[in-house]
């Protein structure tokens, strides 16, 4: 380990020498300095000196930036972020990965930027769902700008699920609409059906029956939706919700169709409550005179 540390310091010294100017050397040799800093970072990393490895990668990034080599600077910033991740300093790690993604875009390599943001989102999920959702949305935006809709919609889907998990239903509704529009554009209609179900569940949890009904109405324009299992289930769910029929709502929400959706949406289905606490249909033999008797009692009380 001591040998690796000494080796790293030797590379740092060489890098610093490359950056010095003199009467005969007017410009710093940024390219050689970056190479030496990179070697120092690897040596520090192998010696498990992660803080020093991170600093060496940042010095490498600075040298590449001065040399206008944006792609290699971005790579070095990303490596610095990985060192911070290994030190469990995730928010700092993500800052450097975001910085790298901006440089990748400036360099004309947006795919690399989007993949870096996706990785950053995965890092942040266990720690900060809101930040992770934002990173996925950023990554999706990069792919969308490149008209890579299949890659973009997958990342928007990740953001939608995280927004639902945080119960940010207004934002989740917007995200799901964007997701569904993209799936419609790439003609993946069966997935549009599933997104319509997710939208209905989100809107009902928002207490917005009108918006939920509108999603189903709009769904009729999607080829194959009308009359499908998904469509029928949503019509039954909306009817049950409107009628405050607890049993019908429960029957739809616990059906295999909804139970086997992505976990975050399945949980929405199971936890859905009808307004006003709901009501149960009377048992087969219980219909008849009871309701009229209650009405008569009520009027009788009013006349007394």
């Amino acid at each position: 380990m001591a040998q690796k540390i000494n080796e790293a310091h030797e590379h740092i010294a060489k890098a610093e020498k490359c950056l010095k100017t003199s009467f005969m050397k007017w410009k710093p040799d940024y390219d050689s300095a970056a190479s030496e800093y990179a070697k120092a970072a690897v040596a520090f990393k192998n010696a498990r000196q992660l803080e020093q490895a991170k600093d060496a990668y940042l010095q490498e990034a600075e040298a590449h930036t001065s040399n206008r080599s944006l792609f290699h600077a971005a790579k070095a910033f990303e490596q610095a972020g990985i060192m911070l991740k290994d030190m469990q300093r995730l928010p700092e790690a993500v800052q450097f990965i975001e910085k790298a993604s901006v440089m990748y875009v400036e360099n004309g390599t947006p795919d690399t930027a989007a993949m870096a943001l996706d990785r950053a989102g995965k890092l942040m999920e266990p720690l900060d769902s809101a930040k992770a959702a934002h990173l996925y949305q950023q990554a999706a935006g990069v792919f969308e700008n490149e008209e890579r809709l299949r890659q973009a919609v997958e990342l928007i889907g990740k953001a939608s699920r995280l927004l639902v998990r945080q119960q940010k239903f207004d934002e989740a509704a917007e995200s799901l609409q964007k997701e569904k529009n993209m799936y419609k554009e790439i003609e993946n209609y069966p997935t549009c059906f599933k997104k319509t179900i997710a939208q209905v569940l989100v809107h009902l949890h928002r207490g917005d029956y009108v918006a939920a009904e509108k999603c189903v109405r709009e769904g009729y324009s999607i080829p194959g939706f009308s009359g499908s299992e998904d469509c029928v289930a949503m019509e039954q769910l909306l009817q049950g919700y409107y009628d405050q029929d607890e049993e019908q709502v429960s029957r739809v929400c616990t059906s295999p169709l909804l139970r086997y959706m992505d976990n975050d949406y399945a949980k929405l289905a199971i936890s859905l409550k009808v307004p006003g606490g709901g009501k149960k249909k009377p048992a087969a033999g219980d219909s008849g005179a009871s309701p009229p008797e209650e009405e008569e009692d009520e009027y009788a009380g009013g006349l007394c």
Side-chain angles (χ1 to χ4, degrees), residues 68-128:
R68 297 181 182 177
S69 180
L70 292 183
F71 183 83
H72 291 102
K75 278 288 180 192
F77 276 124
E78 209 177 339
Q79 285 299 317
I82 291 167
M83 294 303 98
L84 286 161
K85 177 199 76 137
D86 291 345
M87 289 186 276
Q88 301 302 309
R89 288 156 61 183
L90 295 183
E92 290 174 80
V94 165
Q95 282 179 359
F96 283 119
I97 295 171
E98 283 186 282
K99 188 169 186 174
S101 74
V102 171
M103 294 181 112
Y104 285 134
V105 171
E106 286 175 7
N107 182 65
T109 48
D111 283 16
T112 315
M115 288 186 284
L117 290 167
D118 184 17
R119 285 194 294 273
K122 285 172 190 165
L123 285 182
M124 289 305 289
E125 266 198 49
L127 190 71
D128 186 342

